[in-house]
Amino acid sequence: MKWALLLIGAIAQAHADVWRFAVIGDTPYSDYERAELPKMLEAIADSQVEFVAHIGDIKSGKDRCDDNLFADRHGVFNASRVPFVFVPGDNEWSDCDRVSNGSYAPVERLNKLRRLFWRDGFSLGQKKLRLERQPSNYPEHARFRLGPVLFVTLNLPGGNNNWGMTGQPSLEFMDRNPVVIDWLKENFALARRDKVAGIVLLFQADPGFTHFNQGFAHQGYRDFLEQLRHEASQFTGQVIAVHGDSHISRIDHPLRDKQGRPMSNFVRVETFGYPIMGWTRGVIDTESPALFRFETHPWPPKQP
């Protein structure tokens, strides 16, 4: 397969040694958050980040998955002054079969998202970021480079990864899960081959690190976490997993190796989520031994 790394234009020039990006998720869930989101995106753009990523759940789990809601969110995201990368969450596709959501077929809603949000090789936003998409029927899977770091998006939704309500996995899960694992493996291989300093994984679900470490992994996330642990153990750089789902803003080291020891090169960054609105800024600094540092910004900002 062609190994192509796509850089962010002028912002990834060789002389630069600091880059900034922002992550948000689980928003907007209310009329208030919908009104505040454009203001927050303006503040994010003013903070001089190279892009912002929304890692899923663009509406409340009780709201309908209608076309007009999708179009509204697309308009907000596309109005961002900096490139905007969107990763799907369960609220906008895998949970859409709920009566309160409109009793939609989840895969039909996911395909609607694909046609609207991931229809070409670019991000959303007034400024576009060129993306390399996985050559398959999963255009939501993409990668791009920012300085010495590879960013990778994955369709890994909350709700047990759309496993289903029985002991047997859903057909959709059985189709998608191998594609997700292949994309994870391929990008770690690429990161090792090109000796990048770090890799950032962007996905929606809280995959249950604690239960996995204790040997009680959730069925829908077991394969992913086993592969992630293996890949992180074989990678000399830093690994960042950005997710939402639990609505708890936190930065920690939740993944342990097979001997139960924390993996020092692995950091989990969870975004703010309803009812607490906010964003997290990541800073890549090649002069720092940790490479990354993160700053949390509740919204609206506190007055001095």
Side-chain angles (χ1 to χ4, degrees), residues 66 72 115:
D66 293 340
D72 173 80
R115 293 191 298 271

Side-chain angles (χ1 to χ4, degrees), residues 184 188 201 203 206-214 217 221-234 239-241 243 251-269:
L184 183 69
F188 267 100
L201 307 174
F203 55 88
D206 179 347
F209 290 104
T210 300
H211 290 165
F212 175 72
N213 294 333
Q214 296 170 343
Y221 304 118
R222 181 182 292 110
D223 294 345
F224 174 79
L225 289 173
E226 287 179 348
Q227 192 65 44
L228 176 59
R229 180 171 62 187
H230 171 75
E231 299 293 349
S233 71
Q234 302 298 310
V239 181
I240 309 295
H243 72 78
I251 301 163
D252 58 9
H253 300 267
L255 186 60
R256 297 181 180 272
D257 63 20
K258 291 184 177 181
Q259 286 71 46
R261 299 169 300 197
M263 301 188 73
S264 60
N265 71 328
F266 181 89
V267 176
R268 179 256 300 276
V269 177

Side-chain angles (χ1 to χ4, degrees), residues 3 143 150 152 154 181-196 198-201 224 227-241 255 265-266:
W3 296 106
R143 65 184 171 209
L150 178 64
V152 182
L154 302 121
I181 301 302
D182 285 349
W183 190 232
L184 183 69
K185 292 162 61 176
E186 177 179 316
N187 281 286
F188 267 100
L190 177 57
R192 286 190 292 268
R193 194 207 74 167
D194 283 11
K195 296 181 173 60
V196 301
I199 184 170
V200 178
L201 307 174
F224 174 79
Q227 192 65 44
L228 176 59
R229 180 171 62 187
H230 171 75
E231 299 293 349
S233 71
Q234 302 298 310
F235 183 58
T236 58
Q238 298 298 307
V239 181
I240 309 295
L255 186 60
N265 71 328
F266 181 89

Side-chain angles (χ1 to χ4, degrees), residues 11-297:
I11 64 175
Q13 295 175 12
H15 68 271
D17 58 7
V18 176
W19 298 263
R20 299 171 181 84
F21 61 96
V23 291
I24 62 175
D26 297 288
T27 189
Y29 268 43
S30 65
D31 291 342
Y32 168 79
E33 289 193 351
R34 170 61 183 82
E36 289 295 312
L37 182 56
K39 303 174 190 176
M40 188 171 78
L41 291 177
E42 283 293 306
I44 290 173
D46 288 341
S47 73
Q48 299 182 326
V49 297
E50 279 79 16
F51 73 91
V52 56
H54 190 304
I55 46 76
D57 277 10
I58 59 177
K59 69 175 191 66
S60 167
K62 63 180 176 55
D63 292 337
R64 291 178 61 90
C65 300
D66 293 340
D67 286 359
N68 58 357
L69 185 143
F70 289 178
D72 173 80
R73 303 304 194 256
H74 181 270
V76 174
F77 298 167
N78 214 26
S80 169
R81 287 169 27 224
V82 297
F84 193 103
V85 176
F86 167 52
V87 183
D90 58 317
N91 285 5
E92 51 264 22
W93 76 272
S94 59
D95 290 343
C96 289
D97 55 351
R98 296 173 180 174
V99 174
S100 62
N101 282 214
S103 300
Y104 286 98
V107 174
E108 183 275 330
R109 287 292 82 188
L110 179 56
N111 286 331
K112 174 65 179 181
L113 294 172
R114 287 167 173 156
R115 293 191 298 271
L116 184 61
F117 290 95
W118 311 298
R119 55 190 173 193
D120 57 28
F122 296 90
S123 70
L124 302 173
Q126 294 181 33
K127 295 180 180 179
K128 303 297 184 184
L129 166 62
R130 184 178 292 276
L131 307 174
E132 183 178 5
R133 301 200 183 277
Q134 186 179 27
S136 66
N137 295 323
Y138 294 82
E140 61 271 28
H141 291 164
R143 65 184 171 209
F144 56 95
R145 277 279 298 273
L146 178 58
V149 174
L150 178 64
F151 287 78
V152 182
T153 67
L154 302 121
N155 186 352
L156 196 80
N160 203 21
N161 202 9
N162 201 37
W163 172 280
M165 302 301 291
T166 70
Q168 298 299 316
S170 69
L171 292 177
E172 189 284 326
F173 171 88
M174 293 177 65
D175 287 340
R176 177 175 45 82
N177 194 52
V179 177
V180 170
I181 301 302
D182 285 349
W183 190 232
L184 183 69
K185 292 162 61 176
E186 177 179 316
N187 281 286
F188 267 100
L190 177 57
R192 286 190 292 268
R193 194 207 74 167
D194 283 11
K195 296 181 173 60
V196 301
I199 184 170
V200 178
L201 307 174
L202 304 168
F203 55 88
Q204 192 260 332
D206 179 347
F209 290 104
T210 300
H211 290 165
F212 175 72
N213 294 333
Q214 296 170 343
F216 302 102
H218 301 183
Q219 292 169 309
Y221 304 118
R222 181 182 292 110
D223 294 345
F224 174 79
L225 289 173
E226 287 179 348
Q227 192 65 44
L228 176 59
R229 180 171 62 187
H230 171 75
E231 299 293 349
S233 71
Q234 302 298 310
F235 183 58
T236 58
Q238 298 298 307
V239 181
I240 309 295
V242 180
H243 72 78
D245 194 19
S246 301
H247 300 212
I248 302 170
S249 174
R250 53 185 164 180
I251 301 163
D252 58 9
H253 300 267
L255 186 60
R256 297 181 180 272
D257 63 20
K258 291 184 177 181
Q259 286 71 46
R261 299 169 300 197
M263 301 188 73
S264 60
N265 71 328
F266 181 89
V267 176
R268 179 256 300 276
V269 177
E270 183 166 1
T271 61
F272 288 89
Y274 180 83
I276 306 299
M277 197 173 183
W279 59 285
T280 303
R281 180 165 62 180
V283 180
I284 303 167
D285 185 350
T286 55
E287 294 186 355
S288 168
L291 183 63
F292 294 94
R293 65 178 182 271
F294 294 94
E295 309 160 355
T296 57
H297 297 269

